[in-house]
């Protein structure tokens, strides 16, 4: 245990960030390197609970509570408090293939479940995780681990997001020859084209891909499975295949005027912005928010990333519409510990918008009724109405329009960020795997599809989720694949 009285002596110290107006001038990560003494104090706050809820990932009401990959959190909290960083890294890498990703962008369900949360703010677990892995790279402790024996078995992985990368890493370490197919020009899935650079620097993703290549994993980029290479060809060449194609089919607005010029899917916008940053050519006209009145439809994290991107492109104004009311400042009775807290927070994008314009860009309980364009078909304005959340006779949540609350918003650019329908189906159909509710039909913990030798993991199986779940599924699925290939498995 860190310091028996640590949680009584030290308060939680929040992540130190760069100043919002400063960071809007560039695309670098918005957080700073956290000072070592602060991290040690936070490690000292850990109580080394007999039942560490932080460490055991379960799902409550559809959300993660505790760490889905079973990170050995109390152990590395203690080691960091004692300054034993190398030992902390060894413990961290036992459960997490890519702590440099989760340490930066995981919503940290571990912290929502931390026992200290019962009486005050949780241990800053995520900051400690990031510091351990960053120190590992800085000190050269992370080196390629090249397997010294090969099994002769070949595995193909379709999709190079965190699920595909985690599965590839595990199977490569087990001695199998792994090839990852990716349709994009870079590996990483949403780590590369999705999550903006200011949350997760693309050099951090690239560094990991380089390491995986050095360890023997073959990446075949710019290759769409089902188009550039068929499922039959893969089945003939490989002993097992894992489908990690994600759940990137975006939900669209079905509104009058949707076809107006200037209305874009959030993902197209975010992908283009990252490509420009990386000096990669985009084939379609570049979507630039400079000097424009921008509205983001959708109150989630993807929408927040659009806000932060548009701010960096120097938009004229920015508003984000959310369907739901503002969240409470403290947990409601229906959202008790150890569930992930569903409370009002200031995400990085909202801090930045507030610093730039003096107010939070979020508008709550808004329903867009129609999109109006000018006589050239160019977007001109959005018409909205305020909604009231209530319940019907059966107790189901319903939304009612508030008469007289109609409003017109001038707009030059609109980003549609209302979530994802599920996996893209053509490639799944090409493999002949069963599909249920726009996801591959394969059980969590088993990952086998109805097609012999074909497995599925990550968002393609679970629906749009979190990086940490993708890593969990990639690791776990690798174990099942190893078992099916070898009759026993060495993987955790
Ligand atoms: C904008 C945005 C921001 C997010 N921010 C966060 C965050 O801050 N924290 C967090 O935890 N989660 C976040 N998420 C969710 C997280 O990124 C995903 O849950 C995670 O990336 C899923 O991993 P995956 O490997 O299953 O799929 P993906 O990351 O979606 O990767 C799938 C890959 O498969 C490739 N592919 C698909 N079809 C084919 C084919 N036929 N042939 C070859 N390749 C193919 C795709 O090009 C893609 O590279 C965010 C999601 C979005 C959209
Ligand atoms: S729940 Fe919190 S206090 Fe308890 S072991 Fe985990 S991090 Fe430490």
């Amino acid at each position: 245990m860190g310091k028996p009285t640590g949680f009584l002596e030290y308060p939680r110290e929040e992540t130190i960030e760069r100043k919002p107006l400063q960071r809007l001038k560039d695309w670098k990560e918005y957080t700073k390197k956290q000072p070592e003494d602060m991290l040690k104090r936070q490690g000292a706050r850990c109580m080394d609970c007999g039942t560490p809820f932080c460490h055991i990932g379960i799902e409550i009401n559809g959300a993660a509570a505790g760490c889905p990959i079973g990170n050995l959190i109390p152990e590395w909290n203690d080691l960091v408090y004692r300054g034993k960083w190398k030992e902390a890294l060894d413990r961290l890498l036992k459960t997490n293939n890519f702590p440099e990703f989760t340490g930066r962008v995981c919503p940290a369900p571990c912290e929502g479940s931390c026992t200290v949360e019962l009486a005050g703010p949780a241990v800053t677990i995520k900051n400690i995780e990031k510091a351990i892995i960053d120190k590992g790279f800085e000190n050269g402790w992370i080196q390629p681990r090249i397997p010294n024996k090969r099994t002769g078995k070949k595995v193909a992985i379709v999709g190079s997001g965190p699920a595909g990368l985690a599965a590839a890493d595990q199977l490569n370490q087990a001695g199998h020859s792994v090839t990852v197919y990716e349709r994009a020009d870079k590996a990483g899935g949403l780590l590369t084209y999705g999550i903006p650079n200011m949350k997760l620097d693309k050099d951090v993703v690239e560094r990991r891909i380089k390491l995986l290549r050095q360890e023997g994993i073959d990446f075949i980029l710019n290759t769409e499975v089902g188009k550039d290479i068929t499922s039959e060809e893969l089945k003939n060449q490989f002993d097992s295949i894992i489908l990690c194609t994600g759940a990137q089919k975006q939900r669209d607005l079905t509104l009058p005027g949707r076809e107006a010029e200037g209305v874009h899917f959030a993902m197209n916008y975010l992908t283009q912005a990252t490509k420009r940053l990386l000096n990669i050519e985009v084939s379609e006209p570049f979507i630039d928010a400079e000097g424009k009145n921008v509205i983001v439809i959708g109150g989630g994290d993807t929408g927040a990333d659009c806000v932060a991107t548009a701010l960096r492109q120097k938009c004229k104004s920015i508003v984000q519409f959310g369907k739901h009311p503002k969240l409470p400042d403290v947990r409601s009775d229906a959202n008790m510990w150890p569930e992930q807290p569903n409370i009002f927070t200031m995400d990085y994008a909202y801090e930045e918008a507030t610093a730039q314009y003096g107010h939070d860009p979020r508008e709550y309980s808004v329903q867009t009724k129609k999109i109006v364009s000018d006589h050239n078909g160019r977007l001109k304005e959005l018409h909205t109405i305020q909604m009231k959340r209530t319940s019907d006779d059966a107790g189901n949540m319903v939304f009612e329009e508030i008469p007289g609350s109609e409003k017109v918003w001038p707009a030059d650019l609109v980003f549609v960020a209302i979530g994802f329908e599920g996996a893209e189906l053509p490639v799944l159909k090409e493999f002949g795997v069963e599909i249920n509710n726009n996801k591959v039909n394969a059980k969590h913990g088993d990952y086998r599809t109805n097609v012999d030798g074909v497995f599925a993991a990550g968002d393609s199986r679970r629906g749009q989720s979190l990086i940490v779940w993708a890593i969990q599924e990639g690791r776990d699925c690798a174990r099942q694949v190893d078992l099916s290939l070898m009759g026993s498995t060495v993987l955790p």
Side-chain angles (χ1 to χ4, degrees), residues 374-385:
D374 64 14
H375 56 275
N376 291 321
R378 259 220 68 82
L379 172 67
K380 193 173 120 198
E381 59 201 25
L382 295 191
H383 291 226
T384 64
I385 191 159

Side-chain angles (χ1 to χ4, degrees), residues 45-49 52-54 73-74 77 113-116 123 125:
R45 293 180 72 227
C46 176
M47 303 190 298
D48 191 15
C49 303
F53 280 85
C54 60
I73 294 165
N77 279 345
S113 306
C114 171
T115 319
V116 178
V123 174
I125 301 168

